[in-house]
């Protein structure tokens, strides 16, 4: 089970997490999890460039080890990057010491002050340690591009109908989500631009 729009009741319970970035410029923040995946990430970057859109990529450490060139490439193109753990471990199912070591192992591969827990699942004792080194970035809009039962049109609807100024939006540049995400992304960008939204990378420190 997952929520396309993060319920308002959840956010006050986890005040140390960043769920959205309020601003007066209609900026929204597209994020892509689970890369880099060369063919998918490349196609994603081409689409973003067509719309002059910046985004944030939460990278898996072991993927970056295989494709290290993406760290500098993403930065060069004006995007930001974040730690998504080394092996995409589920915090709820992983002993805390092991989880923290996995996040640190990712940090050995590339540097960032942003971190998103895989699946959004992290225990309080894990978060207490991780937040000493990172801003924990969550989201308020989930595209559901990872769900095989969700087609591209529904993915577009999930994002466009729930995005407001400051929204942090989750997509995935993974093989699993590729067909849905790459079909949906141009429509998401076009429709949100038509509503006056601007696509920015998550900065550090946060504005």
């Amino acid at each position: 089970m997952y929520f396309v729009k993060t319920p308002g009741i959840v956010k006050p319970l986890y005040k140390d997490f960043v769920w959205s970035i309020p601003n007066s410029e209609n900026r929204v923040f597209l994020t892509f999890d689970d890369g880099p995946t060369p063919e998918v990430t490349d196609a994603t970057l081409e689409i973003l460039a067509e719309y002059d859109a910046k985004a944030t990529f939460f990278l898996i450490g072991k993927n970056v080890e295989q494709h290290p060139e993406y760290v500098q490439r993403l930065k060069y193109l004006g995007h930001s990057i974040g730690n998504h753990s080394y092996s995409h471990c589920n915090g709820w199912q992983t002993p805390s010491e092991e989880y923290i070591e996995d996040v640190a192992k990712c940090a050995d591969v590339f540097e960032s002050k942003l971190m998103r827990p895989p699946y959004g699942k992290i225990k309080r004792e894990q978060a207490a340690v991780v937040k000493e080194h990172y801003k924990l970035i969550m989201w308020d809009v989930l595209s559901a591009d990872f769900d095989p039962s969700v087609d591209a049109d529904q993915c577009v609807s999930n994002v466009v109908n729930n995005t407001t100024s400051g929204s942090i939006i989750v997509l995935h540049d993974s093989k699993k989500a590729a067909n849905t995400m790459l079909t949906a992304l141009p429509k998401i960008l076009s429709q949100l631009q038509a509503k006056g939204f601007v696509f920015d990378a998550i900065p550090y420190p946060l504005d």
Side-chain angles (χ1 to χ4, degrees):
M1 178 182 175
Y2 56 84
F3 295 99
V4 168
K5 183 72 171 179
T6 302
I9 194 172
V10 172
K11 300 175 184 180
L13 300 176
Y14 300 91
K15 294 180 180 178
D16 293 330
F17 296 1
V18 179
W19 298 93
S20 61
I21 305 175
N23 65 89
S24 59
E25 296 89 23
N26 257 3
R27 290 185 295 149
V28 296
F29 303 88
L30 293 173
T31 65
F32 295 86
D33 291 1
D34 298 356
T37 312
E39 60 272 24
V40 185
T41 305
D42 291 348
T44 301
L45 291 172
E46 290 178 7
I47 295 169
L48 291 172
E50 290 176 13
Y51 290 85
D52 194 25
K54 304 306 178 187
T56 303
F57 290 78
F58 288 93
L59 308 175
I60 297 173
K62 64 181 181 180
N63 290 353
V64 174
E65 280 188 339
Q66 296 173 8
H67 309 287
E69 67 277 8
Y70 280 89
V71 169
Q72 291 305 318
R73 182 181 175 196
L74 289 166
K75 291 179 180 179
Y76 175 77
L77 292 173
H79 305 294
S80 56
I81 61 173
N83 184 318
H84 201 45
S85 82
Y86 180 82
S87 58
H88 203 260
C89 50
N90 183 325
W92 292 1
Q93 299 174 1
T94 307
S96 291
E97 184 176 351
E98 181 181 333
Y99 184 89
I100 293 163
E101 288 176 353
D102 198 81
V103 173
K105 188 174 182 180
C106 182
D108 289 338
V109 180
F110 67 93
E111 293 183 1
S112 174
K113 291 294 185 181
L114 308 176
M115 192 269 170
R116 171 173 287 157
Y119 313 102
K121 295 179 178 179
I122 185 170
K123 298 172 187 172
R124 287 187 181 276
E125 60 264 31
Q126 296 164 349
V129 176
V130 172
K131 74 178 184 181
E132 294 179 1
H133 308 281
Y134 300 93
K135 275 291 186 182
L136 285 163
I137 308 296
M138 302 299 273
W139 60 83
D140 72 334
V141 179
L142 193 63
S143 69
D145 57 355
F146 57 86
D147 186 340
S149 70
V150 174
D151 63 17
D153 287 340
Q154 183 60 54
C155 182
V156 173
S157 178
N158 288 345
V159 174
V160 173
N161 292 338
N162 289 289
T163 294
T164 57
S165 181
S167 283
I168 298 175
I169 303 158
V170 179
L171 298 125
H172 295 79
D173 56 329
S174 63
K175 289 182 179 179
K176 177 181 178 181
N179 289 339
T180 299
M181 186 276 288
L182 292 173
T183 302
L185 183 58
K187 298 176 183 178
I188 289 170
L189 290 163
S190 176
Q191 292 182 35
L192 289 181
Q193 271 192 350
K195 288 188 170 189
F197 290 112
V198 177
F199 308 100
D200 204 355
I202 296 175
Y204 186 87
L206 302 183
D207 291 353

